[in-house]
Amino acid sequence: MTIRVLLADDQALLRATFRILIDSCPDMEVVGEAADGAEAVDLARTHRPDLVVMDIRMPGTDGLAATSAICADPDLTAVRVLILTTFEIDEYVAQALRAGASGFLGKDVTADVLLDGIRTVAAGESLLSATATRTLITRFLASPAESSQSAAPEHLAALTAREREVMAWAAEGHSNEEIAEKLFVSPLTVRTHVHRAMTKLGARDRAQLVVMAYQSGLVRAVPPNADH
């Protein structure tokens, strides 16, 4: 299967570089290029790519608004968004995750990291390092002013006790392997619990599951300046 990629960045040179890199891979191809968010949304609806590599800061409609529009469109539920940002930890990134983005990368990543990131997100996984997850959640996703109730506590009633437990560990930034060690089960078993929780809650990927865990109150963030 060829991964169909849409590039959204206002820098033509960067888009051209990414296109050459992506098109050089036998398992992926660039199906379109957008110079701003509005064009990205239009091209996403036209081409139905597997993944949009989305810059946050663009003139006019920015990447955040474009991500919200794409992830909210019922006709584009199969389209995933990978955010590119100059800063790995960025308030706009947290907002994009709330809007439905599947993860993010810094613009200074190596070619191999970018290509692996595209494959990871296209496969339905999220692209969030443990450190990035913890920092993002603590600083932004769990702040009362920013939180929405897209996953009310009663929605978690559909989950088994083990699914809630695994979801909580994932929300704290632990990998499947780390969770497996804590629960004395296999990583495959953890992955199964994660996917069942995603299905029951209507989360498109692990990143959205993490957001739901905090918005529902399943997990509470520790303030950045807390000692513990």
Side-chain angles (χ1 to χ4, degrees), residues 194-203:
V194 169
H195 279 271
R196 284 178 179 165
M198 284 164 46
T199 300
K200 290 179 179 180
L201 296 178

Side-chain angles (χ1 to χ4, degrees), residues 9-17 33:
D9 196 296
D10 61 331
Q11 298 179 48
L13 180 60
L14 193 58
R15 291 200 312 272
T17 302
E33 295 183 29

Side-chain angles (χ1 to χ4, degrees), residues 22-70:
I22 292 169
D23 283 343
S24 70
C25 298
D27 62 336
M28 58 182 77
E29 65 174 336
V30 174
V31 296
E33 295 183 29
D36 59 47
E39 189 177 10
V41 175
D42 289 342
L43 290 178
R45 289 171 177 157
T46 299
H47 296 291
R48 305 290 175 90
D50 298 303
L51 180 142
V52 181
V53 177
M54 182 82 74
D55 184 25
I56 285 283
R57 296 174 179 83
M58 292 184 287
T61 302
D62 63 15
L64 178 61
T67 297
S68 297
I70 290 171

Side-chain angles (χ1 to χ4, degrees), residues 34-227:
D36 59 47
E39 189 177 10
V41 175
D42 289 342
L43 290 178
R45 289 171 177 157
T46 299
H47 296 291
R48 305 290 175 90
D50 298 303
L51 180 142
V52 181
V53 177
M54 182 82 74
D55 184 25
I56 285 283
R57 296 174 179 83
M58 292 184 287
T61 302
D62 63 15
L64 178 61
T67 297
S68 297
I70 290 171
C71 294
D73 190 329
D75 292 330
L76 300 178
T77 53
V79 179
R80 303 186 185 281
V81 178
L82 173 58
I83 297 293
L84 280 181
T85 177
T86 306
F87 306 101
E88 181 179 327
I89 304 302
D90 187 323
E91 181 175 3
Y92 293 111
V93 174
Q95 292 177 24
L97 289 174
R98 280 198 298 274
S102 296
F104 64 95
L105 285 173
K107 284 190 173 183
D108 58 349
V109 296
T110 64
D112 287 343
V113 170
L114 173 65
L115 296 174
D116 286 345
I118 290 173
R119 293 186 182 102
T120 297
V121 172
E125 298 296 325
S126 66
L127 196 64
L128 294 172
S129 69
T131 301
T133 299
R134 294 185 186 110
T135 306
L136 281 166
I137 293 294
T138 302
R139 291 187 182 178
F140 308 115
L141 294 179
S143 66
E146 298 286 355
S147 237
S148 68
Q149 291 300 320
S150 62
E154 59 267 21
H155 292 174
L156 300 182
L159 303 183
T160 65
R162 180 47 62 92
E163 286 164 357
R164 286 195 295 273
E165 186 177 15
V166 168
M167 181 177 174
W169 282 119
E172 292 182 359
H174 296 285
S175 68
N176 287 353
E177 289 73 19
E178 290 170 339
I179 298 171
E181 287 185 11
K182 293 177 183 297
L183 301 181
F184 302 102
V185 298
S186 72
L188 180 60
T189 297
V190 173
R191 180 185 174 91
T192 299
H193 286 311
V194 169
H195 279 271
R196 284 178 179 165
M198 284 164 46
T199 300
K200 290 179 179 180
L201 296 178
R204 69 169 59 205
D205 56 30
R206 192 186 185 100
Q208 195 170 9
L209 193 68
V210 168
V211 174
M212 289 179 172
Y214 283 88
Q215 290 178 336
S216 66
L218 177 66
V219 178
R220 302 290 183 185
V222 177
N225 56 357
D227 293 329

